[in-house]
Amino acid sequence: MSVIEIVRYRIKPETTEEQAVAAWEKSQSFAKAQPGFLERRIAVTVEGDWIDEVEWESLEDATAAAKAFNPETYPELMDLMVVLDETSMTMTHYTIKGST
C-alpha cells in the first residue's frame, strides 16, 4: 500500500496565505519529479495551522524525497523555505491500510 506523508507547520507572521500557497505551488515541480510521487495537497485551519499532504508509492520513496529536499539543489524550493516557520514543522508517515 502507498504512504501518506503529513507535514504540519505554521507560516511566518509576515507571510500571507496567498504567498504561502504560491510558494507551495512553485515547489510542486520538485515533488512531481520525485520517484513514487502520487498526489499532493495543502490545507489550513482557521487558526493558521497548515498541513502539506503527499501520497507516495512507498515509505522508501517518501524517505528518499525528504533526503533530496534541498533548496540549493532545487531552487524551486527556496520560496517555500522563506515562508515556513521551520521551528513549527513536523513530518509523519502513515501506511494506507484501506481506501474507497
Side-chain angles (χ1 to χ4, degrees):
M1 302 293 298
S2 58
V3 169
I4 296 175
E5 174 181 278
I6 302 290
V7 179
R8 289 182 169 83
Y9 60 92
R10 295 187 67 82
I11 57 175
K12 293 178 181 169
E14 66 274 11
T15 302
T16 66
E17 282 193 12
E18 292 78 14
Q19 290 170 319
V21 171
W24 177 84
E25 287 174 348
K26 188 173 180 181
S27 72
Q28 279 287 79
S29 60
F30 166 80
K32 289 179 178 181
Q34 301 309 301
F37 172 83
L38 297 174
E39 183 179 11
R40 183 179 182 212
R41 60 188 177 171
I42 56 171
V44 63
T45 67
V46 294
E47 294 85 12
D49 297 311
W50 291 75
I51 62 166
D52 188 339
E53 176 189 78
V54 187
E55 186 172 355
W56 301 100
E57 288 181 10
S58 69
L59 181 57
E60 293 77 20
D61 291 329
T63 303
K67 287 180 183 175
F69 190 96
N70 182 343
E72 291 181 18
T73 306
Y74 300 97
E76 63 269 33
L77 299 174
M78 192 61 72
D79 289 358
L80 194 59
M81 299 311 297
V82 169
V83 302
L84 296 181
D85 173 2
E86 291 183 61
T87 65
S88 69
M89 292 178 62
T90 63
M91 180 187 294
T92 309
H93 293 99
Y94 300 85
T95 300
I96 296 176
K97 298 297 184 181
S99 180
T100 57

